[in-house]
Amino acid sequence: MSNSIKLAILGLGTVGTGVINLINDNLAELKRRSGHDIIITEVGTRRQRDNIDPNIIQNSDLMAVAASDNVDIVIEVIGGTTLAKDVIMHAIKNGKHVVTANKALLAEHGNEIFAFAEDNNVHVAYEAAVAGGIPIIKVMREALAANKVNWLAGIINGTGNFIMTEMRDKGRPFSDVLSEAQELGYAEADPTFDVEGIDAAHKLALLASIAFGIPLQFDKVYCEGITGITLQDVNYAEELGYRIKHLGFAVRRDGQGDNAAAGIELRVHPTLIPQNALLANVNGVKNAVLVNSHPLGQTLYCGDGAGAGATASAVMADVMDLVRVLGNKDGDEQDSNNQNNHGHHVPHLAFIPEQLSDTPILRAEQMTTGYYLRVHASDNPGVLADITRILSDAGINIDAILQKPAHKVGQVPVIILTLPVVESQMNLAIEKIENLETITDKVVRIRLDELA
Ligand code: HSE
């Protein structure tokens, strides 16, 4: 059997170009693994390129490419949530399978897009949307299909991890490292998405749906980026045996404990984690996702989280899956109603759509985490006692305290690590600490997790 599988690539930026390069480099492997010639027949691009194989049709009308008879699988790598949505819906309507790297689009409109794909008997594959080259969607949907996920924690933005690593290890300024991440093709078109945690929140929404069988709820993800992290806090954390990483957490809570509510926490924020945790040693553009599930226990998946090669690898893994679905149709024997080959159909969000759960997503003040607090106090007797009394009155357990010598005349930085506490309790305690006459600045707080 060897009919050709025809691909269209919409968008020729970093990822689109990476996909073309991968196909050129690995053509023989692709054919030997699929039994088919995989050829790019059309590309959708606003401007004509001279460096593209002349056999490939270049068309600036993306809707026409998405519906072309000359195409079996549409690869959407233009990004954004407007034109990308229109072309994907058009491709689906025209019976095309779709591969996309577009986490923003899926996190915000995935419920609608996946339902439309189901109705039209096609797949929308999105391995490249989460954690770059790490096959985390396949792992979560297929390899862990028999497990109940308790929680997951991941470094899921390569740009952010690259920036934090370079700042910590080489003391480089934030803006320099961000520029380099842009040059290397790691950053989003709008890098605010990377540094403010929005990109990680998009990916977390997708992972959480697969993990817990809940609909996509990007709007309920609590989101903090890395722009507020100072070298001072990085160094204090290291002194106490912790490292600050930007992490996404999806956690199932059973509602046990004081003031704790039942539901799911979806949160993205800088986090102190133990220096000896594997995640603490995932550096540069690498991503990693740690999954705690029953009965398997903890497993960690790690690899390049951004860049042309890593993302193209994930895009083409999806293409190969679809080629295997499409591969059953052969010449005249093709059954046009059997495009989906349901025997191999993995539900888009891992659970069958009718079985999605309505478990609530917890609000920020209902979430439970440990904390790193940096308090600047006047160098007076009794200040530390006042602070610790407020914390103990609020039922907050202190795990460690570090008091540094006064660095400005009369001011003492006090660093406090706490055990997990419900955020609303911590908010009240911080308000009281900030109201003390001896406290000169806002309390700096960063969440802390032992990842146990
Ligand atoms: N800007 C993203 C990142 C690209 O840095 O992780 C991969 O999704």
Side-chain angles (χ1 to χ4, degrees):
M1 64 159 186
S2 179
N3 59 323
S4 298
I5 303 291
K6 292 168 277 184
L7 311 181
I9 302 179
L10 303 181
L12 284 184
T14 303
V15 182
T17 311
V19 170
I20 293 180
N21 291 340
L22 186 156
I23 292 175
N24 288 338
D25 291 348
N26 294 351
L27 205 55
E29 275 78 5
L30 297 175
K31 176 154 189 181
R32 284 170 56 220
R33 289 194 175 115
S34 69
H36 296 272
D37 289 312
I38 295 176
I39 53 172
I40 303 167
T41 50
E42 301 196 16
V43 294
T45 171
R46 257 175 304 189
R47 91 189 141 77
Q48 295 283 308
R49 321 277 172 130
D50 298 332
N51 56 348
I52 299 284
D53 178 343
N55 295 315
I56 299 174
I57 297 166
Q58 299 190 43
N59 192 342
S60 59
D61 182 350
L62 272 57
M63 298 295 261
V65 179
S68 168
D69 289 340
N70 199 24
V71 169
D72 298 309
I73 299 171
V74 172
I75 300 173
E76 180 277 309
V77 282
I78 51 180
T81 54
T82 48
L83 176 60
K85 183 179 179 203
D86 291 345
V87 293
I88 285 180
M89 295 303 254
H90 195 55
I92 292 171
K93 198 165 138 197
N94 283 278
K96 312 293 179 195
H97 295 294
V98 173
V99 174
T100 178
N102 195 332
K103 53 265 164 149
L105 177 63
L106 293 182
E108 291 177 31
H109 301 287
N111 297 320
E112 177 190 352
I113 292 170
F114 293 146
F116 194 55
E118 297 284 346
D119 288 349
N120 284 276
N121 228 16
V122 296
H123 302 310
V124 175
Y126 57 97
E127 185 63 74
V130 182
I134 306 174
I136 191 66
I137 302 299
K138 199 171 200 52
V139 163
M140 298 281 302
R141 286 200 313 196
E142 299 179 44
L144 300 186
N147 280 264
K148 179 174 178 183
V149 177
N150 299 314
W151 55 262
L152 63 84
I155 296 171
I156 46 180
N157 181 266
T159 303
N161 201 35
F162 180 71
I163 293 172
M164 299 238 343
T165 305
E166 292 287 305
M167 283 175 65
R168 186 195 71 221
D169 291 353
K170 301 180 189 158
R172 293 178 61 194
F174 186 100
S175 56
D176 274 16
V177 194
L178 175 57
S179 300
E180 190 183 344
Q182 289 175 293
E183 279 159 29
L184 291 167
Y186 299 160
E188 296 303 297
D190 176 357
T192 319
F193 278 51
D194 296 294
V195 298
E196 296 297 355
I198 301 161
D199 177 74
H202 287 143
K203 294 165 180 167
L204 186 75
L206 285 159
L207 288 176
S209 286
I210 298 170
F212 302 124
I214 53 175
L216 290 155
Q217 292 165 84
F218 164 69
D219 55 332
K220 295 192 179 148
V221 181
Y222 172 81
C223 182
E224 256 180 56
I226 58 171
T227 47
I229 297 296
T230 64
L231 214 46
Q232 187 184 16
D233 292 316
V234 169
N235 291 335
Y236 287 149
E238 294 278 335
E239 212 173 309
L240 286 158
Y242 290 84
R243 185 151 297 154
I244 303 179
K245 286 289 185 186
H246 189 254
L247 294 175
F249 287 88
V251 184
R252 187 198 295 274
R253 297 283 184 202
D254 59 11
Q256 291 186 352
D258 290 348
N259 301 317
I264 291 168
E265 293 180 1
L266 299 180
R267 48 191 168 83
V268 161
H269 48 73
T271 316
L272 272 75
I273 56 176
Q275 268 164 6
N276 61 2
L278 289 171
L279 272 186
N281 296 287
V282 172
N283 292 318
V285 74
K286 292 268 184 294
N287 280 195
V289 182
L290 178 64
V291 184
N292 180 304
S293 65
H294 174 80
L296 176 60
Q298 287 197 12
T299 48
L300 180 70
Y301 310 92
C302 181
D304 278 7
T311 315
S313 164
V315 165
M316 286 307 294
D318 277 344
V319 168
M320 291 294 277
D321 272 351
L322 292 173
V323 169
R324 290 172 181 131
V325 171
L326 284 163
N328 286 353
K329 63 172 193 160
D330 205 356
D332 294 341
E333 287 169 28
Q334 173 184 340
D335 172 359
S336 59
N337 292 320
N338 192 30
Q339 285 183 326
N340 229 5
N341 190 5
H342 272 283
H344 295 284
H345 181 41
V346 181
H348 287 104
L349 293 174
F351 290 74
I352 56 175
E354 299 74 27
Q355 293 291 326
L356 286 182
S357 150
D358 58 1
T359 306
I361 309 302
L362 299 178
R363 296 188 312 278
E365 60 272 22
Q366 296 175 303
M367 296 175 181
T368 305
T369 64
Y371 276 92
Y372 160 104
L373 304 177
R374 173 160 56 83
V375 186
H376 282 230
S378 305
D379 192 9
N380 295 336
V383 173
L384 196 54
D386 287 342
I387 297 170
T388 55
R389 188 175 19 78
I390 289 173
L391 292 173
S392 83
D393 286 352
I396 298 170
N397 263 322
I398 295 172
D399 194 36
I401 295 189
L402 176 69
Q403 185 178 339
K404 305 301 283 184
H407 71 298
K408 284 198 246 170
V409 179
Q411 271 200 21
V412 191
V414 179
I415 316 300
I416 298 169
L417 306 186
T418 78
L419 294 184
V421 50
V422 176
E423 180 148 333
S424 55
Q425 282 172 258
M426 182 53 88
N427 291 344
L428 288 174
I430 287 179
E431 202 182 312
K432 285 187 184 158
I433 292 172
E434 286 175 344
N435 283 338
L436 289 171
E437 280 189 2
T438 44
I439 300 305
T440 47
D441 293 322
K442 283 271 186 211
V443 174
V444 171
R445 62 158 106 180
I446 307 173
R447 288 170 183 77
L448 180 152
D449 201 301
E450 297 291 342
L451 299 174

